[in-house]
Amino acid sequence: MDQDEGTERQPPPSDRTERHGSRRDADAARNADAARGRGGAPRDAARPRRRPGSAGSRPVDDADTRPLALLMHAAFFLLLGASLARFLLRHPGEARTPWIIGLSIALAVLYVMGPVLGSRPTARSLVWLGGLVVVWMVVVVLAPSFAWCAVPLFYTGLRILPPRAAYALVALLTLFVVAAQLRLAHGFDPNLVLAPPAVAAVATAVFVHMRRQAVRQGRLIDDLLRTRRELAATERREGTLAERQRLSMEIHDTLAQGLSSQQMLLQAADRTWDTDPAAARRHIRTAEGIAERNLAEARRFVHDLAPADLAEGGGLDAALHALAARETAQAQGRLTVRCHIEGAPHTVLPDRTQSALLRIAQGALANVAEHAGATEAALTLTHLDDRTVLDIADNGHGFTPATATGSPGGVRGHGLPAMRARLHQLGGTLTIESAPGEGTVVTATVPVAPTPQDPA
């Protein structure tokens, strides 16, 4: 051993340069792999998925972590091969050469067994790590040039062992590295005494810091996922409530109003059945027409919830004319509804806007027929540059608008809140002008996006 130590104390400059280059490569590999958790898999922002039904099981290896693992393994075998090649070139034919070759092969085999045995702190992994360290120490005692193979062992110990045991192992490996470097050096060199502990301390601090960061990131990701699930559930609940409100408005403005008209007509037919059979039959035929329209509306609900009048074509203007004629026919001379269209639309109204205005007109006329006691009503649709205005006026007995707030728990009073809700969704407004004995004017205003000017 004295002759080997004397020979090993005078390495050429090129060999020292290669040795420090290998150390830098190993440090880079270790620092890159320090982001991996103690379970052997990354715990960064892209956390690995766990197998279903195994909350405490080892995370499934992700494709993004394999390059890091391959880099760490490549660094170890590169350092091991370089150390063995250097020994064989410097000491050919020595008696301890077979021992060095055999121990190098054993070290490589033990290192390869690591991923097979697992990286959790179990009894088998601890025995494997102990055997790996002991074989490395024996090799370092026989040939100090194998000392830098300890760099990947730093990472392995920090990854498997508890913190205190891992720090103790790093300190032990560092002492062996310092002793080996002093044996290779020519005389005492303070840099060789201080550099390995400094490198080991920095590497350990970086590993511990990255592991804590990974734990915090994992908790943050769990919080974000939980918050996202809660937000999704809240949005689903809000969407369900909004859809229920919309459907209630649709049913109130169509099916409910039609059923109410049918009830009134059938009651009138029942009263005149004996005295005026012809009038009773007219009431029944009118109720039959209303039922037919309600059936069309119900089928339209199933299809796409668009108003049946709009689905027939002709747009909002034609649908309002058809609505006025139908309400006049259903009233049997008690109410006359006229429709007026003023101006021409500068742009095609969206289907949603047309549907909302038609529903508002249906609801308002239903209120006129059922509550106002009017003989005349008028629908006026005005197309302006920046808005569309729908007026529903009647000559009924009127009311005080301040008292028409609606009662959610009652049967009546849902029409005006439904109109306001429809217009609010479109950014529009609803105004009511009425007084007892002076009739009522309901005005629905919807903003219209201007059409871009033609560059020509």
Side-chain angles (χ1 to χ4, degrees):
M1 291 299 295
D2 294 340
Q3 182 181 358
D4 175 70
E5 292 175 4
T7 305
E8 293 283 353
R9 286 194 185 98
Q10 299 177 0
S14 59
D15 183 73
R16 184 179 298 272
T17 303
E18 293 176 357
R19 185 172 66 250
H20 288 289
S22 299
R23 182 184 65 180
R24 286 193 298 269
D25 294 340
D27 289 343
R30 178 185 47 75
N31 291 333
D33 291 333
R36 292 167 60 90
R38 295 184 62 180
R43 302 184 62 183
D44 52 3
R47 299 185 70 191
R49 295 174 296 175
R50 295 181 181 273
R51 301 183 191 275
S54 58
S57 62
R58 182 172 176 261
V60 180
D61 289 338
D62 191 81
D64 295 337
T65 67
R66 294 172 184 172
L68 296 177
L70 293 177
L71 180 62
M72 181 188 65
H73 299 329
F76 176 81
F77 288 108
L78 179 63
L79 292 173
L80 181 63
S83 301
L84 180 60
R86 182 179 183 277
F87 177 83
L88 294 178
L89 292 175
R90 293 295 185 88
H91 309 283
E94 289 192 5
R96 53 199 172 104
T97 299
W99 289 97
I100 298 297
I101 296 176
L103 290 174
S104 299
I105 296 175
L107 190 62
V109 172
L110 284 174
Y111 190 85
V112 170
M113 293 175 59
V116 178
L117 296 176
S119 56
R120 301 184 63 183
T122 60
R124 291 192 305 174
S125 62
L126 294 178
V127 171
W128 165 79
L129 180 60
L132 184 67
V133 172
V134 169
V135 173
W136 173 81
M137 289 180 177
V138 174
V139 175
V140 171
V141 171
L142 295 177
S145 59
F146 285 80
W148 284 112
C149 293
V151 175
L153 298 182
F154 288 168
Y155 167 78
T156 303
L158 291 171
R159 182 169 53 91
I160 294 179
L161 297 175
R164 293 184 179 180
Y167 301 154
L169 178 61
V170 170
L172 178 62
L173 297 179
T174 304
L175 290 177
F176 265 77
V177 172
V178 171
Q181 292 301 305
L182 290 177
R183 288 177 58 189
L184 292 174
H186 181 70
F188 179 77
D189 188 349
N191 185 50
L192 298 180
V193 177
L194 300 177
V199 172
V202 171
T204 303
V206 170
F207 178 84
V208 172
H209 174 73
M210 295 186 68
R211 184 167 58 184
R212 292 176 179 175
Q213 287 290 105
V215 172
R216 284 193 288 267
Q217 289 178 357
R219 293 175 181 172
L220 178 60
I221 291 174
D222 291 339
D223 294 339
L224 291 176
L225 292 176
R226 183 172 60 255
T227 303
R228 187 175 67 178
R229 289 193 295 268
E230 294 174 355
L231 289 176
T234 302
E235 291 178 356
R236 285 194 297 269
R237 288 194 297 269
E238 292 179 352
T240 301
L241 293 177
E243 185 67 12
R244 288 178 179 176
Q245 182 182 9
R246 188 177 69 86
L247 289 177
S248 67
M249 293 187 298
E250 295 284 344
I251 294 173
H252 174 272
D253 294 340
T254 56
L255 299 181
Q257 300 293 353
L259 292 173
S260 177
S261 299
Q262 292 178 56
Q263 182 184 21
M264 295 173 60
L265 291 169
L266 293 175
Q267 290 175 351
D270 181 67
R271 289 192 299 267
T272 61
W273 187 267
D274 296 328
T275 60
D276 192 354
R281 283 192 293 271
R282 286 196 303 270
H283 292 320
I284 292 176
R285 284 194 296 269
T286 305
E288 181 182 2
I290 297 175
E292 183 179 358
R293 297 299 305 178
N294 281 358
L295 180 59
E297 291 286 356
R299 289 173 176 172
R300 183 58 54 185
F301 287 158
V302 176
H303 184 261
D304 57 359
L305 296 180
D309 291 328
L310 291 177
E312 294 175 356
L316 180 60
D317 298 353
L320 291 176
H321 281 290
L323 174 63
R326 186 168 61 252
E327 291 293 335
T328 301
Q330 293 174 2
Q332 296 290 326
R334 297 185 306 273
L335 176 65
T336 301
V337 181
R338 295 180 175 86
C339 181
H340 306 281
I341 307 297
E342 298 182 359
H346 296 274
T347 182
V348 179
L349 294 177
D351 294 341
R352 184 181 180 188
T353 301
Q354 297 186 45
S355 176
L357 291 176
L358 180 58
R359 295 304 191 198
I360 291 172
Q362 289 175 336
L365 290 179
N367 289 337
V368 171
E370 187 174 356
H371 303 295
T375 59
E376 293 184 357
L379 293 176
T380 304
L381 182 65
T382 305
H383 297 285
L384 301 176
D385 293 339
D386 58 347
R387 62 188 182 276
T388 298
V389 182
L390 175 64
D391 295 314
I392 305 98
D394 66 80
N395 62 348
H397 51 68
F399 62 95
T400 301
T403 62
T405 57
S407 56
V411 177
R412 306 296 184 189
H414 185 68
L416 294 178
M419 296 178 191
R420 289 193 175 93
R422 289 181 185 278
L423 293 172
H424 177 71
Q425 295 175 356
L426 300 174
T429 57
L430 181 72
T431 58
I432 302 173
E433 299 178 5
S434 182
E438 297 183 4
T440 304
V441 178
V442 177
T443 302
T445 304
V446 180
V448 177
T451 303
Q453 295 294 334
D454 190 347

